[in-house]
Amino acid sequence: MNKSRAVIALILTAVITGLMAFTALVGFGDGHRGSYHNIKLGLDLAGGASITYEAVGEQTPTDEDMADTVYKLQQRVDQYSTEAQVYTEGSDRINIEIPGISGVEETNKILNELGQPGSLYFIRQTDENGNQNYQLGQDADGNVDYVLTKDLKQIIADGDAILEGTDVQEAKAGYQNDNMNNQQIVVSLTFTDEGKKKFADATTKAYAAGETIGIYYDGRFISVPRVQAAITDGRAVITGENTIEEAESLASNIRIGGLKVELQRLRSQIVGAQLGQDAIRTSKTAGILGFALVALLMIAIYWLPGFCAALALCIYILIVTIVLNAFDVTLTLPGIAGILLSIGMAVDANVIIFARIREEIHAGKTVKTAMKGGYDKALSAIIDGNVTTLIAAAVLAFLGSGTIKGFAYTLAIGIVVSMFTALFVTRLLMNIFYALGAQDAKLYGTGRDVKVINFVSKRKIVFAISAVLIIAGLAGMGMNAGSGKGALNYSLDFVGGTSTNVTFNEDMSLDEINEKVLPVIVEATGDSSPQVQKVAGSSEVIFKTQELDEEKGTALAVALQDTFQVDKDNITSETISSTISSEMKNAAFNAVIVALVLMLIYIWFRFKDARFGASSVICLAHDCLVVLAAYALIRISVGSTFIACMLTIVGYSINATIVVFDRVRENLHARKAGTSLEEIVNTSVSQTLSRSIFTSLTTFFMVLALYIFGVASVKEFALPLMVGIVAGCWSSVCIAGPLWHLLRTRIASKKDSTPSAGSSDSTKGGSSGNSSSKKKKGSSNLSKKERKLQRQKEIEEKNKAKITV
């Protein structure tokens, strides 16, 4: 790049960055489209809609039916927000909380789309006597539509409701080609085994009579298709919808009508944020200070490249803000965890590149050549680290639910953007400044000779320290469980609790409630971290605490009456289930297992050695167990952020471990004769040591700022993250390399030469081995003639050995 092109590139970069900054900070039009103000925030950050349904019918639903209904409703409301929560309230109520809903109009729209769950029937057109069950008429709003000619209960009693919603296994909208090969909009139905038989009988009769089958949902007909054939395979297609949106609405209504429990809406309300404006403000302050500290450290350590990286990180934040807005992602604390992780990985990618550039300059290369060589050599580590984490994010988004999906989306967005800014934006800025005259090697820093530390020889001590920490955590969990306190300090997100609705005499802000009312709640209930939701437009407040027995429930009511003069009739309580259902926990567990397997396969494929993958997974397990030990010993509350915290640590740790293994792989390829595996591992870990420490520090500072300035719930989220960062640094530096060396020397593969005493694969290592296997490895880069001469020398040495004996 010449100077004139550099000037043009700099101007274009400044203009594009300015436009992105204007979009992210201000936005366009009256609605400020594109600005961070329009990013959807979750219930914990901005509040949303709360909808309560009550089971109807003569029989009380079973726990299994309620659990099934909760799970299916969770899948249904995920389309409105990835952070939506569904849980039972009492024995016959289900509560839905949808974050990011800001007004009555939007709430009513969702209620209309959601409808009345569990009241869908397929009704035949005529009964056994040929009388019409429905016909064209006027509905309740005076519109021409199909209406029932009999009472619904009578139709059901007569057996003319041939199928119910529970007989439908799947309903989805899409496209297919008709007989003329024209594309048409359809709704595809798949029935259960029982529904398949019912539908086959019904369509056989309807087709013979030339009749329709009406789909009746929530008090009205949503579709009345004419039967075109007897359908016996359990699959049907409904045509006639004008738009794909209409087809999706029909499919959605059929799906929601497939619940085992019939529900009617009891109430809907707008609830305020759980954390309050003070928490949001302090979190923003913490983020700004943490980012400023990271930028200053980058500049202080890496000079001009660090300055370019700081500018690229600013661009990264702008792009992430715009993308979150564009894709309508709901941002909550778990989502913030995903962004923090991706910021750490963006910093990490730059540190890897800059360290490589310094090594190239130290080797005597020019700055321009060093920059190219640094990026080329760092590319594989950056790609492998980001791809493995991206695999995990994709699996979590596909298999997870609720907050897990929200975490996965923000993590995936952050990873893609961080790779773009690290590999392209930072490089562009460095090339621009170089072309403009910043060509002195002092501006880029010069690497130093690496002091090799013998990590392998200290592996027993390292493994013992980690084992003690993990065993202490497991022992702590056992002691806590034995004393009746619970193995972990589970919050109501995991175990459920009591929801107390209080209508105060005056309308207080959420910050006033946190300051005045929360201490009273904590003292009366003994719960140190209750959740608070304020109902918008009223003085009603919802407090969620651990399950209260009669004594504590009475104490709370008396405390509220005495302190705030609340009428006892304005205090109601209900037992609520956990918002993290067993299905959600199972989905998260399954997703993590699948992600680990896929990461193992990817690492195996990329490194051509399963032992790299096995070592990585063991390090991940180590980090998670250390964090679990912290949860157990410090009694950190295990709530909705717990799963996201663990997933963040998995993504962070795998990236750090891959950087070390990438250097091991590189040094193995450049291995010289007489170099032992122990030397290669020690050299590789020592070469990446500064990178591991610095990246951990920058990420740690970001989270530390959140911990210092955040409110209680933010601290509970930040503290285990800091433990995980330290554990990830420890495992990648002290455990990963020595563990791989142990597996390599103890578990041989077909590619390995058989190790012998003093060979290069010996755990004793050193450079004194003279086995033929080592010389074969060391001669892999020699010419054919040189290898032949070396082989002759090996034979001569063996013969001498025989004569000596």
Side-chain angles (χ1 to χ4, degrees), residues 170-176 185-189 238 241 243-252 255:
E170 185 180 29
K172 59 182 180 180
Y175 298 91
Q176 76 171 24
I185 300 170
V186 299
V187 174
S188 303
L189 304 180
I238 300 174
E241 302 302 319
T243 64
I244 190 64
E245 288 76 19
E246 290 180 4
E248 288 174 346
S249 177
L250 175 58
S252 177
R255 284 196 302 270

mmCIF file of all heavy atoms in Angstrom, residues 170-176 185-189 238 241 243-252 255:
data_model
loop_
_atom_site.group_PDB
_atom_site.id
_atom_site.type_symbol
_atom_site.label_atom_id
_atom_site.label_comp_id
_atom_site.label_asym_id
_atom_site.label_seq_id
_atom_site.Cartn_x
_atom_site.Cartn_y
_atom_site.Cartn_z
ATOM 1 N N GLU A 170 -46.822 -32.350 14.744
ATOM 2 C CA GLU A 170 -46.057 -31.217 14.215
ATOM 3 C C GLU A 170 -46.890 -30.459 13.208
ATOM 4 O O GLU A 170 -47.680 -31.042 12.454
ATOM 5 C CB GLU A 170 -44.764 -31.719 13.563
ATOM 6 C CG GLU A 170 -43.841 -30.606 13.094
ATOM 7 C CD GLU A 170 -42.571 -31.133 12.453
ATOM 8 O OE1 GLU A 170 -42.604 -32.228 11.876
ATOM 9 O OE2 GLU A 170 -41.548 -30.444 12.530
ATOM 10 N N ALA A 171 -46.739 -29.140 13.192
ATOM 11 C CA ALA A 171 -47.391 -28.283 12.199
ATOM 12 C C ALA A 171 -46.416 -27.184 11.820
ATOM 13 O O ALA A 171 -45.900 -26.483 12.686
ATOM 14 C CB ALA A 171 -48.674 -27.684 12.768
ATOM 15 N N LYS A 172 -46.147 -27.039 10.535
ATOM 16 C CA LYS A 172 -45.207 -26.001 10.117
ATOM 17 C C LYS A 172 -45.584 -25.469 8.740
ATOM 18 O O LYS A 172 -46.119 -26.197 7.890
ATOM 19 C CB LYS A 172 -43.779 -26.526 10.108
ATOM 20 C CG LYS A 172 -43.526 -27.714 9.218
ATOM 21 C CD LYS A 172 -42.072 -28.176 9.350
ATOM 22 C CE LYS A 172 -41.795 -29.393 8.459
ATOM 23 N NZ LYS A 172 -40.395 -29.856 8.587
ATOM 24 N N ALA A 173 -45.294 -24.179 8.549
ATOM 25 C CA ALA A 173 -45.583 -23.512 7.273
ATOM 26 C C ALA A 173 -44.403 -23.669 6.332
ATOM 27 O O ALA A 173 -43.260 -23.818 6.765
ATOM 28 C CB ALA A 173 -45.887 -22.037 7.512
ATOM 29 N N GLY A 174 -44.696 -23.619 5.021
ATOM 30 C CA GLY A 174 -43.628 -23.744 4.036
ATOM 31 C C GLY A 174 -44.158 -23.624 2.627
ATOM 32 O O GLY A 174 -45.267 -23.101 2.393
ATOM 33 N N TYR A 175 -43.368 -24.111 1.681
ATOM 34 C CA TYR A 175 -43.734 -24.052 0.266
ATOM 35 C C TYR A 175 -43.614 -25.450 -0.345
ATOM 36 O O TYR A 175 -42.799 -26.266 0.093
ATOM 37 C CB TYR A 175 -42.805 -23.099 -0.495
ATOM 38 C CG TYR A 175 -42.860 -21.663 -0.041
ATOM 39 C CD1 TYR A 175 -41.995 -21.210 0.964
ATOM 40 C CD2 TYR A 175 -43.750 -20.762 -0.602
ATOM 41 C CE1 TYR A 175 -42.020 -19.895 1.387
ATOM 42 C CE2 TYR A 175 -43.777 -19.438 -0.185
ATOM 43 C CZ TYR A 175 -42.913 -19.010 0.810
ATOM 44 O OH TYR A 175 -42.946 -17.702 1.223
ATOM 45 N N GLN A 176 -44.430 -25.719 -1.354
ATOM 46 C CA GLN A 176 -44.268 -26.933 -2.152
ATOM 47 C C GLN A 176 -44.834 -26.681 -3.542
ATOM 48 O O GLN A 176 -45.641 -25.760 -3.748
ATOM 49 C CB GLN A 176 -44.950 -28.134 -1.496
ATOM 50 C CG GLN A 176 -46.450 -28.166 -1.611
ATOM 51 C CD GLN A 176 -47.032 -29.500 -1.131
ATOM 52 O OE1 GLN A 176 -46.432 -30.203 -0.337
ATOM 53 N NE2 GLN A 176 -48.225 -29.822 -1.616
ATOM 54 N N ILE A 185 -48.066 -21.895 -1.116
ATOM 55 C CA ILE A 185 -47.876 -21.833 0.332
ATOM 56 C C ILE A 185 -48.718 -22.922 0.977
ATOM 57 O O ILE A 185 -49.901 -23.081 0.657
ATOM 58 C CB ILE A 185 -48.274 -20.450 0.868
ATOM 59 C CG1 ILE A 185 -47.407 -19.366 0.216
ATOM 60 C CG2 ILE A 185 -48.148 -20.392 2.382
ATOM 61 C CD1 ILE A 185 -47.889 -17.952 0.490
ATOM 62 N N VAL A 186 -48.117 -23.662 1.909
ATOM 63 C CA VAL A 186 -48.832 -24.767 2.546
ATOM 64 C C VAL A 186 -48.534 -24.791 4.044
ATOM 65 O O VAL A 186 -47.570 -24.192 4.517
ATOM 66 C CB VAL A 186 -48.436 -26.131 1.942
ATOM 67 C CG1 VAL A 186 -48.762 -26.191 0.459
ATOM 68 C CG2 VAL A 186 -46.955 -26.434 2.177
ATOM 69 N N VAL A 187 -49.393 -25.517 4.770
ATOM 70 C CA VAL A 187 -49.139 -25.861 6.164
ATOM 71 C C VAL A 187 -49.103 -27.386 6.239
ATOM 72 O O VAL A 187 -50.088 -28.052 5.921
ATOM 73 C CB VAL A 187 -50.233 -25.310 7.104
ATOM 74 C CG1 VAL A 187 -50.004 -25.809 8.533
ATOM 75 C CG2 VAL A 187 -50.249 -23.794 7.069
ATOM 76 N N SER A 188 -47.956 -27.923 6.623
ATOM 77 C CA SER A 188 -47.781 -29.382 6.688
ATOM 78 C C SER A 188 -48.102 -29.874 8.095
ATOM 79 O O SER A 188 -47.620 -29.306 9.085
ATOM 80 C CB SER A 188 -46.347 -29.769 6.319
ATOM 81 O OG SER A 188 -46.018 -29.295 5.035
ATOM 82 N N LEU A 189 -48.926 -30.937 8.164
ATOM 83 C CA LEU A 189 -49.304 -31.526 9.440
ATOM 84 C C LEU A 189 -48.764 -32.942 9.535
ATOM 85 O O LEU A 189 -48.804 -33.694 8.561
ATOM 86 C CB LEU A 189 -50.823 -31.562 9.612
ATOM 87 C CG LEU A 189 -51.591 -30.238 9.488
ATOM 88 C CD1 LEU A 189 -53.083 -30.487 9.685
ATOM 89 C CD2 LEU A 189 -51.085 -29.237 10.514
ATOM 90 N N ILE A 238 -52.293 -28.496 4.138
ATOM 91 C CA ILE A 238 -53.394 -27.542 3.995
ATOM 92 C C ILE A 238 -52.934 -26.436 3.052
ATOM 93 O O ILE A 238 -51.884 -25.820 3.269
ATOM 94 C CB ILE A 238 -53.797 -26.937 5.350
ATOM 95 C CG1 ILE A 238 -54.241 -28.033 6.319
ATOM 96 C CG2 ILE A 238 -54.905 -25.905 5.174
ATOM 97 C CD1 ILE A 238 -54.523 -27.514 7.718
ATOM 98 N N GLU A 241 -53.724 -20.620 1.864
ATOM 99 C CA GLU A 241 -53.302 -19.403 2.565
ATOM 100 C C GLU A 241 -52.691 -18.430 1.559
ATOM 101 O O GLU A 241 -51.944 -18.835 0.663
ATOM 102 C CB GLU A 241 -52.295 -19.750 3.665
ATOM 103 C CG GLU A 241 -52.814 -20.729 4.696
ATOM 104 C CD GLU A 241 -54.060 -20.250 5.407
ATOM 105 O OE1 GLU A 241 -54.127 -19.048 5.746
ATOM 106 O OE2 GLU A 241 -54.972 -21.065 5.620
ATOM 107 N N THR A 243 -50.632 -15.710 2.178
ATOM 108 C CA THR A 243 -49.268 -15.285 2.466
ATOM 109 C C THR A 243 -48.617 -16.297 3.396
ATOM 110 O O THR A 243 -49.291 -17.057 4.098
ATOM 111 C CB THR A 243 -49.238 -13.891 3.132
ATOM 112 O OG1 THR A 243 -49.882 -13.965 4.414
ATOM 113 C CG2 THR A 243 -49.943 -12.857 2.269
ATOM 114 N N ILE A 244 -47.284 -16.277 3.409
ATOM 115 C CA ILE A 244 -46.553 -17.177 4.300
ATOM 116 C C ILE A 244 -46.816 -16.798 5.752
ATOM 117 O O ILE A 244 -46.805 -17.664 6.650
ATOM 118 C CB ILE A 244 -45.030 -17.140 3.987
ATOM 119 C CG1 ILE A 244 -44.295 -18.252 4.753
ATOM 120 C CG2 ILE A 244 -44.453 -15.768 4.287
ATOM 121 C CD1 ILE A 244 -44.667 -19.645 4.387
ATOM 122 N N GLU A 245 -47.078 -15.501 6.023
ATOM 123 C CA GLU A 245 -47.391 -15.076 7.387
ATOM 124 C C GLU A 245 -48.694 -15.714 7.865
ATOM 125 O O GLU A 245 -48.797 -16.145 9.029
ATOM 126 C CB GLU A 245 -47.493 -13.554 7.462
ATOM 127 C CG GLU A 245 -46.182 -12.800 7.350
ATOM 128 C CD GLU A 245 -45.664 -12.740 5.914
ATOM 129 O OE1 GLU A 245 -46.481 -12.957 4.981
ATOM 130 O OE2 GLU A 245 -44.461 -12.473 5.733
ATOM 131 N N GLU A 246 -49.709 -15.777 6.956
ATOM 132 C CA GLU A 246 -50.965 -16.423 7.329
ATOM 133 C C GLU A 246 -50.751 -17.909 7.602
ATOM 134 O O GLU A 246 -51.330 -18.470 8.537
ATOM 135 C CB GLU A 246 -51.989 -16.242 6.201
ATOM 136 C CG GLU A 246 -52.493 -14.827 6.042
ATOM 137 C CD GLU A 246 -53.503 -14.704 4.901
ATOM 138 O OE1 GLU A 246 -53.847 -15.751 4.300
ATOM 139 O OE2 GLU A 246 -53.949 -13.582 4.607
ATOM 140 N N ALA A 247 -49.905 -18.536 6.783
ATOM 141 C CA ALA A 247 -49.624 -19.960 6.964
ATOM 142 C C ALA A 247 -48.898 -20.199 8.285
ATOM 143 O O ALA A 247 -49.191 -21.158 9.012
ATOM 144 C CB ALA A 247 -48.794 -20.484 5.802
ATOM 145 N N GLU A 248 -47.938 -19.331 8.621
ATOM 146 C CA GLU A 248 -47.210 -19.477 9.884
ATOM 147 C C GLU A 248 -48.138 -19.275 11.082
ATOM 148 O O GLU A 248 -48.016 -19.960 12.104
ATOM 149 C CB GLU A 248 -46.051 -18.482 9.931
ATOM 150 C CG GLU A 248 -44.895 -18.848 8.993
ATOM 151 C CD GLU A 248 -43.831 -17.780 8.936
ATOM 152 O OE1 GLU A 248 -44.111 -16.652 9.400
ATOM 153 O OE2 GLU A 248 -42.730 -18.058 8.421
ATOM 154 N N SER A 249 -49.089 -18.332 10.958
ATOM 155 C CA SER A 249 -50.048 -18.107 12.040
ATOM 156 C C SER A 249 -50.941 -19.331 12.229
ATOM 157 O O SER A 249 -51.211 -19.750 13.368
ATOM 158 C CB SER A 249 -50.900 -16.872 11.725
ATOM 159 O OG SER A 249 -51.883 -16.677 12.715
ATOM 160 N N LEU A 250 -51.388 -19.928 11.126
ATOM 161 C CA LEU A 250 -52.220 -21.136 11.211
ATOM 162 C C LEU A 250 -51.443 -22.281 11.841
ATOM 163 O O LEU A 250 -51.953 -22.973 12.737
ATOM 164 C CB LEU A 250 -52.704 -21.521 9.808
ATOM 165 C CG LEU A 250 -53.488 -22.838 9.694
ATOM 166 C CD1 LEU A 250 -54.714 -22.816 10.596
ATOM 167 C CD2 LEU A 250 -53.879 -23.103 8.238
ATOM 168 N N ALA A 251 -50.213 -22.493 11.372
ATOM 169 C CA ALA A 251 -49.385 -23.562 11.938
ATOM 170 C C ALA A 251 -49.130 -23.332 13.425
ATOM 171 O O ALA A 251 -49.168 -24.269 14.232
ATOM 172 C CB ALA A 251 -48.060 -23.654 11.184
ATOM 173 N N SER A 252 -48.903 -22.062 13.802
ATOM 174 C CA SER A 252 -48.642 -21.732 15.201
ATOM 175 C C SER A 252 -49.865 -22.028 16.058
ATOM 176 O O SER A 252 -49.751 -22.587 17.157
ATOM 177 C CB SER A 252 -48.254 -20.259 15.316
ATOM 178 O OG SER A 252 -48.063 -19.891 16.651
ATOM 179 N N ARG A 255 -50.196 -25.723 16.568
ATOM 180 C CA ARG A 255 -49.196 -26.226 17.524
ATOM 181 C C ARG A 255 -49.595 -25.912 18.961
ATOM 182 O O ARG A 255 -49.516 -26.767 19.847
ATOM 183 C CB ARG A 255 -47.817 -25.611 17.236
ATOM 184 C CG ARG A 255 -47.104 -26.190 16.034
ATOM 185 C CD ARG A 255 -45.627 -25.807 16.062
ATOM 186 N NE ARG A 255 -45.417 -24.376 16.082
ATOM 187 C CZ ARG A 255 -45.295 -23.623 14.991
ATOM 188 N NH1 ARG A 255 -45.361 -24.182 13.802
ATOM 189 N NH2 ARG A 255 -45.095 -22.325 15.097
#
